[in-house]
Amino acid sequence: GVRIPQLRVMAKEIAKRDDWRIFIEATDTKFYEEAMLQGMVIGRSKTALDEQMKYVKRFVPRIDNWAVCDIFCGELKSAVKKGKETVWQFIQPYLKSTQEFELRFGIVMLLHYIDEEHIDLLLKYADSFCHDAYYARMAMAWMISICFVKFPEKTMEYLKHSKLDNWTYNKSLQKTIESLRVDKSSSKYEKTLICVLLFIMTSLSFSFYFCVSAAYGDCNVAISYKSSTRSSRLPLQKSE
């Protein structure tokens, strides 16, 4: 296969050419790398936002795996810069889709909107989320984890009363802890780490002995419990 950095170099070159539209309009692609490359070219195209979003709309139904979805969404950062509100309105139907990767596309695009203006809307949407597909639920957990890192107090308060299903809720906590490996030197890192650990401990309704340890250097967090009958890693179940 062709590595992502190489595909990005190719996409940059194709996007500069006058005939870049011919490449992205081709629908007979057979390989994963071809689809990935087309998505990258759409994201890097210098055309007007309206035309760019036309190609985005054509491309989304062709997404059939998480990697193409997530790389494509990342490349659309330039489109968001061109017209943040326009793209916000564009992704709304995808947030209601019943199709796994259309829904994942919409949710991953929300990562461009984790800011003061949109955080309340994102958490409100999370409470309306209801889908059994693995990659859609993983996208929601990813979004919640980034919300937690950027807005720890607000997201923690949301999680205390959220309507997320237990699987997505638990995965959100797991991915939050994983996200805390970033920016270790800042006071925000320390503050968020403390928040998430306290939240996990106080939100659980287990009458077991808890053992929590955190290695600050690389954020290794181990949470376990012991009872008279067994000892195993703690299932992060939401309080009922």
Side-chain angles (χ1 to χ4, degrees), residues 200-213:
I200 290 172
M201 292 185 69
T202 58
S203 66
L204 300 171
S205 57
F206 291 96
S207 56
F208 297 112
Y209 167 75
F210 286 87
C211 175
V212 180
S213 64

Side-chain angles (χ1 to χ4, degrees), residues 47-56 82 86 90:
T47 187
L49 181 59
D50 287 348
E51 183 181 18
Q52 189 176 21
M53 299 316 293
K54 178 187 74 174
Y55 285 118
V56 171
K82 291 178 186 177
T86 298
F90 175 85

Side-chain angles (χ1 to χ4, degrees), residues 2-12 32-34 36-37 40 44:
V2 183
R3 294 183 179 276
I4 298 299
Q6 293 174 294
L7 288 174
R8 287 199 168 106
V9 171
M10 295 171 65
K12 184 177 180 180
Y32 158 87
E33 289 86 356
E34 287 180 296
M36 181 78 78
L37 185 57
M40 289 179 173
R44 292 170 180 264

Side-chain angles (χ1 to χ4, degrees), residues 80 84 87-88 91 109-115 118 122:
V80 176
K84 195 167 187 177
V87 178
W88 172 262
I91 66 177
M109 284 298 294
L110 290 179
L111 299 183
H112 295 299
Y113 294 88
I114 303 179
D115 52 33
H118 296 92
L122 267 56

Side-chain angles (χ1 to χ4, degrees), residues 10-29:
M10 295 171 65
K12 184 177 180 180
E13 293 302 315
I14 294 172
K16 290 178 181 178
R17 290 167 17 188
D18 293 335
D19 61 349
W20 62 269
R21 293 174 181 83
I22 296 176
F23 174 71
I24 63 174
E25 288 173 358
T27 58
D28 59 346
T29 53

Side-chain angles (χ1 to χ4, degrees), residues 10 35 43 58 87 92 155 157-158 171 176 193 197-198:
M10 295 171 65
R58 288 183 184 180
V87 178
Q92 296 309 305
T155 308
E157 189 61 30
Y158 159 74
K171 187 61 67 173
T176 298
L193 176 59
L197 291 176
L198 288 176

Side-chain angles (χ1 to χ4, degrees), residues 100 103-104 107 129-144 164-169 171-172 175:
E100 180 174 17
L103 182 55
R104 184 179 177 98
I107 296 172
F129 174 79
C130 182
H131 206 288
D132 293 332
Y134 175 81
Y135 289 106
R137 296 165 102 186
M138 284 294 289
M140 176 54 65
W142 183 17
M143 188 199 81
I144 292 294
L164 287 171
D165 63 274
N166 278 352
W167 190 95
T168 307
Y169 175 93
K171 187 61 67 173
S172 298
K175 294 188 76 65

